[in-house]
Amino acid sequence: MTAELQVLAALADPTRWSLLDELAGRPEATATVLAAGRTVTRQAVVKHLAVLERAGLVAARRQGRETRYTVRSERLDETARWMAAAARRWDTRLATIKQLAEGDDQ
Amino acid sequence: MTAELQVLAALADPTRWSLLDELAGRPEATATVLAAGRTVTRQAVVKHLAVLERAGLVAARRQGRETRYTVRSERLDETARWMAAAARRWDTRLATIKQLAEGDDQ
DNA sequence: CAGATATGCAACCCTGGGGTTGCGCATTCT
DNA sequence: AGAATGCGCAACCCCAGGGTTGCATATCTG
């Protein structure tokens, strides 16, 4: 579960979403390029990308003197499904409880 | 989108998941009860529940001198769907780019 | 080779958030 | 009424994490 929490923590930041969005628009991009249009420093972007990589939401590949990053949609989808499953689990458990309560009323 | 980020931030904490899990097992519960089995203080639990409520993952209802909390599965499901949609969006965008790239090759 | 470019690493600053304690207030019970 | 119970509020402590700057290192390019 900690892996999923890592993903959630990584996604709980607007700058990171912005980076992911921009990354989804290009086949791949370096931290320097991604930092170009932003107000934050390249170093800040690098840190964010590191967080995203640890979470598995992005893949880094060094080629020559530059490191290119790519979006990994699988992790996001996985986590989404995991959350949906949790929601369903809550529902069924609550339904069971409600049913038991109604039984007690009679 | 900030609403979804609020949900993600709320979910990026193990204690909060534990509370949600426990809440899903009972029809409703007070902060004091939830704090009973734990190592953390009631106040800590109260703070967590406040975060969860702001995110819409839990509903608070005061009755007499006690406040009872209930799980709200809808928000979780909504957010899960929102994430899944983002994942699909990334995929289609990347597919388009790849296709364009192949076209350029020829 | 020398200059330019792209990173990586490390030290530092500062705010937010998880956690605690102490205390006052409202509600319930006897 | 008086004691007990359940909360809410506020002040504080502490550290992870977002952000910055400065500098060393690696890789192209002319």
Side-chain angles (χ1 to χ4, degrees):
Chain A
M1 185 187 93
T2 29
E4 282 88 350
L5 286 197
Q6 205 174 359
V7 174
L8 293 179
L11 293 176
D13 180 292
T15 307
R16 240 119 60 186
W17 271 99
S18 169
L19 286 173
L20 290 170
D21 245 39
E22 195 169 342
L23 268 179
R26 342 192 163 193
E28 58 184 4
T30 90
T32 310
V33 169
L34 289 171
R38 305 173 184 283
T39 60
V40 301
T41 313
R42 171 184 64 92
Q43 290 302 334
V45 173
V46 170
K47 281 194 180 180
H48 281 304
L49 288 172
V51 172
L52 291 172
E53 189 186 9
R54 268 180 246 126
L57 290 165
V58 126
R61 182 174 62 103
R62 179 145 201 181
Q63 175 151 356
R65 72 176 154 181
E66 58 186 13
T67 341
R68 299 177 180 168
Y69 294 87
T70 320
V71 166
R72 285 308 234 199
S73 65
E74 309 91 56
R75 243 328 139 60
L76 180 60
D77 196 56
E78 273 176 39
T79 311
R81 276 205 278 264
W82 179 73
M83 285 170 56
R88 283 197 305 274
R89 215 172 49 228
W90 291 356
D91 276 338
T92 60
R93 289 175 69 184
L94 290 177
T96 306
I97 291 171
K98 191 182 173 189
Q99 215 168 7
L100 289 178
E102 285 173 357
D104 286 350
D105 285 350
Q106 300 175 348
Chain B
M1 184 188 94
T2 29
E4 282 87 351
L5 286 197
Q6 205 173 1
V7 175
L8 293 179
L11 293 176
D13 180 292
T15 307
R16 242 121 56 187
W17 271 100
S18 169
L19 286 173
L20 290 170
D21 245 37
E22 196 169 341
L23 268 179
R26 340 190 166 195
E28 58 184 5
T30 89
T32 310
V33 169
L34 289 171
R38 304 174 184 284
T39 59
V40 301
T41 313
R42 171 184 63 93
Q43 290 302 334
V45 173
V46 170
K47 281 194 181 180
H48 281 303
L49 289 172
V51 172
L52 291 172
E53 189 186 10
R54 269 180 246 127
L57 290 165
V58 126
R61 182 174 62 102
R62 178 145 201 181
Q63 175 151 356
R65 73 176 154 181
E66 56 186 15
T67 340
R68 299 177 181 169
Y69 294 86
T70 320
V71 165
R72 288 307 236 193
S73 65
E74 309 91 54
R75 240 333 137 59
L76 181 60
D77 196 57
E78 272 177 40
T79 311
R81 276 205 279 264
W82 178 72
M83 285 170 56
R88 283 198 305 274
R89 215 171 50 228
W90 291 356
D91 275 339
T92 59
R93 289 174 70 184
L94 289 177
T96 306
I97 290 170
K98 192 182 172 189
Q99 214 167 7
L100 289 177
E102 284 173 357
D104 286 349
D105 284 350
Q106 299 176 347

